[in-house]
């Protein structure tokens, strides 16, 4: 007999080609499935969100099935020894068999870290941006994203989804030490959505686009840009169920 478990994991996305398993590429899902196989557990890992290459996670949620004889503390320790040091299982618990980490999620939050100081030691973990940021302007701009919209113009071209309608509940821009951190909470996000939003905001900061332009693209009246900000500053922060 088998049971389903939920695990909360964190990972350094700079070492992988994203969350989702891909042929001949090192991915988080792929590495965890390999680790499970080493423990004679043949299970497909489900995940709450398909983060891109270079994107990090503080609290990604996954699920998989295990034989009933496993002790969860021992399983967590054994898996962490194999997947160390760039993936870490923070918590693991039993869950109902019909649980799906993606479709059962109610809310997700992301953060994007921008730094005015370049450091080669932090280059994979924050986005270097050498222009002065007009915090008040960007706080006003990011609030425009709050609400329910068809975000097709803020999604990667070629995204395979049934619809582009998503709700963003809360946004914020925080100054922390010398960094600027964007925070966005929503019911779900499209591929590339946070990075396209971030790039648009930085273009507003540079007076290359305006808040009116943002509203037009949000309303699908005009497409100005779908360029993505770099992945290294982006973190999947938390998922609510």
């Amino acid at each position: 007999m088998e049971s389903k478990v939920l695990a909360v994991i964190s990972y350094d996305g700079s070492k992988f080609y994203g969350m989702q398993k891909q042929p001949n590429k090192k991915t988080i899902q792929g590495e965890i499935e390999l680790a499970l196989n080493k423990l004679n557990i043949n299970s497909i890992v489900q995940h709450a969100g398909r983060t891109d290459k270079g994107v990090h996670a503080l609290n990604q949620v996954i699920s998989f099935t295990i034989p009933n004889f496993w002790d969860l503390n021992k399983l967590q320790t054994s898996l962490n020894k194999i997947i160390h040091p760039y993936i870490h299982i923070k918590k693991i618990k039993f869950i109902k068999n019909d649980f799906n980490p993606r479709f059962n999620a109610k809310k997700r939050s992301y953060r994007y870290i921008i730094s005015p100081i370049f450091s080669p030691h932090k280059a994979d973990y924050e986005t270097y941006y050498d222009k002065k940021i007009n915090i008040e302007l960007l706080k006003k701009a990011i609030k425009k994203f709050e609400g329910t919209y068809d975000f097709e113009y803020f999604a990667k071209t070629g995204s395979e989804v049934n619809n582009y309608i998503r709700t963003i509940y809360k946004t914020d821009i925080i100054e922390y030490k010398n960094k600027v951190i964007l925070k966005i909470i929503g019911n779900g996000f499209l591929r590339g959505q946070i990075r396209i939003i971030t790039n648009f905001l930085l273009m507003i900061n540079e007076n290359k686009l305006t808040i009116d332009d943002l509203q037009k693209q949000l309303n699908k009246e005009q497409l100005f840009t779908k360029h993505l900000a770099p992945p290294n500053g982006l973190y999947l922060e938390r998922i609510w169920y």
Side-chain angles (χ1 to χ4, degrees):
M1 292 287 291
E2 290 189 328
S3 297
K4 198 167 197 177
V5 295
L6 171 156
V8 179
I9 66 170
S10 59
Y11 50 81
D12 177 348
S14 67
K15 305 298 188 288
F16 303 95
Y17 280 84
M19 177 72 216
Q20 186 157 309
K21 190 161 64 174
Q22 300 178 55
N24 306 313
K25 288 185 177 177
K26 192 175 183 180
T27 66
I28 294 98
Q29 180 187 358
E31 290 301 298
I32 294 172
E33 288 184 0
L34 283 173
L36 288 168
N37 287 341
K38 287 181 180 178
L39 300 174
N40 294 316
I41 300 171
N42 297 309
S43 179
I44 293 173
V45 169
Q46 296 178 316
H47 49 82
R50 182 172 62 176
T51 53
D52 287 340
K53 177 185 177 183
V55 175
H56 314 289
L58 304 176
N59 294 287
Q60 169 77 278
V61 176
I62 63 171
S63 66
F64 50 90
T65 56
I66 61 169
N68 286 343
F69 61 78
W70 270 100
D71 172 80
L72 292 190
N73 288 328
K74 184 178 179 182
L75 176 62
Q76 182 175 348
T77 301
S78 299
L79 284 173
N80 276 334
K81 282 181 180 177
I82 301 170
I83 60 179
H84 183 80
Y86 302 117
I87 308 171
H88 181 71
I89 295 176
K90 301 170 77 171
K91 182 172 72 174
I92 190 166
K93 67 177 185 178
F94 288 110
I95 199 77
K96 290 180 180 177
N97 283 334
D98 62 355
F99 174 79
N100 183 294
R102 178 183 171 193
F103 297 118
N104 286 99
K106 299 287 191 294
K107 292 193 297 184
R108 299 167 169 85
S109 67
Y110 281 85
R111 71 171 67 160
Y112 194 98
I113 302 174
I114 300 168
S115 175
I117 300 169
F118 178 76
S119 165
H121 307 296
K122 296 181 179 178
D124 286 335
Y125 309 108
E126 57 191 28
T127 293
Y128 169 61
Y129 183 73
D130 62 356
K131 298 173 179 65
K132 183 174 175 59
I133 292 181
N134 184 336
I135 292 291
E136 293 310 311
L137 176 64
L138 293 198
K139 279 188 173 183
K140 186 178 176 184
I142 199 171
K143 289 294 176 190
K144 295 288 184 183
F145 290 105
E146 292 182 4
T148 301
Y149 291 96
D150 181 332
F151 282 102
E152 183 178 358
Y153 285 9
F154 285 91
K156 270 187 179 179
T157 302
S159 297
E160 295 177 6
V161 292
N162 293 327
N163 69 75
Y164 294 91
I165 296 170
R166 301 290 185 275
T167 299
I168 291 180
Y169 301 115
K170 186 178 180 182
T171 62
D172 203 1
I173 296 181
I174 300 162
E175 291 181 275
Y176 178 74
K177 296 183 178 178
N178 63 343
K179 303 184 197 325
V180 171
I181 302 171
L182 281 61
K183 297 190 74 172
I184 300 181
I185 301 174
N187 66 348
F189 294 94
L190 300 158
R191 287 196 66 206
Q193 184 177 351
I194 305 290
R195 291 167 61 195
I196 294 170
I197 286 172
T198 301
N199 178 72
F200 206 109
L201 291 171
L202 294 179
M203 291 185 76
I204 289 174
N205 185 68
E206 296 166 28
N207 296 314
K208 293 176 180 175
L209 291 169
T210 67
I211 292 177
D212 284 343
D213 295 335
L214 187 159
Q215 193 66 60
K216 286 178 183 174
Q217 183 154 323
L218 204 49
N219 294 341
K220 296 179 66 176
E221 295 169 12
Q222 189 172 349
L223 176 60
F224 291 95
T225 179
K226 274 194 175 188
H227 287 152
L228 290 88
N232 48 303
L234 183 57
Y235 294 74
L236 172 56
E237 187 176 52
R238 185 180 171 188
I239 300 167
W240 288 263
Y241 290 94

